[in-house]
Amino acid sequence: MAPGRRAWLARCAGALAGLAALPPAQAGTQAEEPLADAVRTALSAAIARAAPPRLPFASTEQRLAFLQWQGTMSERLKRHKTEAHTRLEFLETLWYESTRAGLEPALVLGLIQVESGFRKYAISSAGARGYMQVMPFWARLIGDGDASRLFHLQTNLRFGCVILRHYLDTERGNLFMALGRYNGSRGKAAYPDAVMANRNRWLP
């Protein structure tokens, strides 16, 4: 075998060993629940039109506040994402999708930390995918049926934020119950407590 080929195989083996050492994704067994036609239609509309984010700022002050937030969060995110461009793109998309769904960015960051540890291609034992550990059945229920797209940054964050918003509305604003439903552990404290503890680490 050529030396270059051996070196390449050694690098691949090292990368695979590193992946094996990562902690597993923490998504629970989120249940597929029947959706009323009106709810399905509303959720489908909410995840549609996933064009690149266009951040809406009513004033220069709002834009400066976002840039300050992005810079602060980027520093905190370094241990999970080493490349500055990747961090800034991730944070811009997360801010856009969370605020679009009426969610606090710190909450979504805390949920991602618990669910996937900020791993884009994380897959749980239950089959949940990506940053926000979206179950594939959601792609069939409210998307185009292509579950592989759940590894795309904006698609994953949009699905995750829309689903959490849906659960918050279903639970009439009860965040504890909504987080439990998101994880498939409704009524149990461990998961909501973990998300909220991590959410506090991402407050500005």
Side-chain angles (χ1 to χ4, degrees), residues 7-130:
W8 179 81
L9 288 173
R11 285 197 302 273
C12 289
L16 289 172
L19 285 174
L22 290 171
Q26 298 299 308
T29 53
Q30 185 186 74
E32 179 176 350
E33 302 175 27
L35 297 176
D37 288 344
V39 173
R40 186 194 302 268
T41 299
L43 291 176
S44 295
I47 62 98
R49 300 181 299 279
R54 294 290 181 268
L55 304 184
F57 298 108
S59 66
T60 302
E61 290 75 16
Q62 284 187 3
R63 176 167 177 75
L64 290 174
F66 163 74
L67 292 174
Q68 183 177 12
W69 172 86
Q70 188 183 38
T72 301
M73 296 304 115
S74 179
E75 284 299 311
R76 296 182 195 175
L77 197 58
K78 271 185 178 179
R79 63 187 296 261
H80 300 288
K81 295 186 175 296
T82 57
E83 294 183 6
H85 173 76
T86 302
R87 290 197 306 274
L88 295 177
E89 179 187 27
F90 174 83
L91 288 166
E92 182 173 315
T93 306
L94 182 137
W95 187 92
Y96 177 85
E97 294 299 338
S98 58
T99 55
R100 179 181 183 269
L103 301 171
E104 179 190 50
L107 174 66
V108 177
L109 283 163
L111 184 147
I112 290 172
Q113 185 156 4
V114 173
E115 288 281 348
S116 67
F118 295 97
R119 287 177 287 142
K120 182 176 183 178
Y121 297 106
I123 303 178
S124 76
S125 58
R129 301 183 177 196

Side-chain angles (χ1 to χ4, degrees), residues 171-182:
E171 297 289 352
R172 299 183 180 183
N174 187 320
L175 183 57
F176 177 86
M177 289 297 189
L179 287 171
R181 192 184 285 266
Y182 188 94

